[in-house]
């Protein structure tokens, strides 16, 4: 001592775990129009190409049901979970005639992502769709596990802001008098565009507070 300090510190720092990415591609009937599927496949390929080499990636096709076409992990096949395998299966994507059920694919994706890696591993669900309102899940009390990051990638005729509320926390304030604070973490998933996030607090149908902030590409900010 102290000449061993740096060596000990290096030995105690754990190697970062590989992240697990599940690319869920919408193949429902609405994706067959106006070259929407071509746009979706281009975004899926670009996403897969951008991932770090050590990360694992799987692919899920979905409409009213989901089909796992590229698993995240297989002990018998080292190429399973690779970007190469994920890119290969995209060639087989075809839009069919089925409707969309987002709740079904979200639940299936959560099960698949929860089954791989250690509990501290990063898990991301990339959902590529035209996001038809009629297929949105109803408020049945179920929600995606907070440990899974949701990256929605919109394809279609209109330009959509790629913003997502990642977490919401409500806590009592130290000031007393029943005061509470609501905190929300909002992320700009766009890799290239700065976007303005307007976050509103709505109580009993009344908008009581609004905060606006510019978010840089790929950045997140907390609103309180």
């Amino acid at each position: 001592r102290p000449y061993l300090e740096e060596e000990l510190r290096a030995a105690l720092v754990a190697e970062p775990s590989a992240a697990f990415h599940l690319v869920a591609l919408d193949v429902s009937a609405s994706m067959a129009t106006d070259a929407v599927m071509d746009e979706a496949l281009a975004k899926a390929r670009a996403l897969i190409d951008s991932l770090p080499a050590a990360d694992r990636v799987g692919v899920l096709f979905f409409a009213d049901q989901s089909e796992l076409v590229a698993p995240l992990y297989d002990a018998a096949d080292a190429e399973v979970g690779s970007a190469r395998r994920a890119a290969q299966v995209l060639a087989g994507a075809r839009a069919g005639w089925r409707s969309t059920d987002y709740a079904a694919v979200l639940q299936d994706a959560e099960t698949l992502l929860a089954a791989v890696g250690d509990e501290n591993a990063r898990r991301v669900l990339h959902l590529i769709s035209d996001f038809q309102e009629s297929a949105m899940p109803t408020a049945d009390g179920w929600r995606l596990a907070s440990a899974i990051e949701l990256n929605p990638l919109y394809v279609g005729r209109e330009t959509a802001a790629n913003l997502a509320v990642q977490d919401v926390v409500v806590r009592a304030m130290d000031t007393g008098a029943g005061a509470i604070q609501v905190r929300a973490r909002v992320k700009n998933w766009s890799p290239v565009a700065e976007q303005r996030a307007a976050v509103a607090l709505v109580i009993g149908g009344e908008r009581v507070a609004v905060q606006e902030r510019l978010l840089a590409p790929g950045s997140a900010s907390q609103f309180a």
Side-chain angles (χ1 to χ4, degrees):
R1 213 177 97 182
Y3 60 88
L4 287 178
E5 182 178 351
E6 291 302 321
E7 287 79 358
L8 286 171
R9 182 180 293 113
L12 291 172
V13 175
E15 288 294 325
S17 299
F20 293 87
H21 301 265
L22 189 59
V23 179
L25 178 64
D26 190 345
V27 293
S28 64
S30 63
M31 297 289 288
T33 61
D34 297 332
V36 174
M37 180 56 73
D38 291 339
E39 181 187 354
L41 288 171
K43 287 193 173 184
R45 293 188 182 103
L47 169 67
I48 291 170
D49 289 343
S50 71
L51 298 177
D55 286 3
R56 312 296 293 175
V57 55
V59 179
L60 196 70
F61 293 164
F62 75 94
D64 55 348
Q65 296 178 340
S66 58
E67 177 189 3
L68 182 63
V69 292
L72 285 158
Y73 181 78
D74 185 344
D77 188 346
E79 194 172 326
V80 169
S82 68
R84 172 185 168 87
R85 179 66 60 85
Q88 286 176 341
V89 302
L90 290 175
R94 301 287 187 275
W97 297 103
R98 294 181 297 168
S99 59
T100 313
D101 186 343
Y102 293 114
V105 68
L106 288 171
Q107 292 175 14
D108 288 347
E110 179 181 87
T111 300
L112 291 167
L113 286 167
V116 293
D118 61 72
E119 61 181 10
N120 296 318
R122 183 179 176 223
R123 297 172 172 83
V124 187
L125 170 59
H126 306 273
L127 192 65
I128 304 175
S129 176
D130 57 351
F131 294 106
Q132 296 291 313
E133 184 177 358
S134 60
M136 293 296 175
T138 57
D140 59 359
W142 181 88
R143 61 175 291 177
L144 189 68
S146 60
I148 297 175
E149 300 176 36
L150 178 61
N151 176 24
L153 296 171
Y154 174 81
V155 291
R157 288 188 292 263
E158 300 176 0
T159 301
N162 197 1
L163 299 170
V165 177
Q166 291 190 302
D167 199 12
V168 176
V169 175
V170 181
R171 68 179 185 89
M173 299 288 287
D174 296 334
T175 56
I180 62 170
Q181 182 186 62
V182 181
R183 292 182 295 179
R185 188 174 190 269
V186 178
K187 181 167 183 176
N188 175 13
W189 278 98
S190 170
V192 294
E194 183 179 59
Q195 299 191 71
R196 179 174 296 278
V199 178
L201 176 63
V202 180
I203 300 177
E206 180 183 356
R207 182 174 295 198
V208 298
V210 179
Q211 291 184 17
E212 293 190 15
R213 196 171 303 156
L214 284 173
L215 299 182
S219 70
S221 184
Q222 183 171 272
F223 295 76

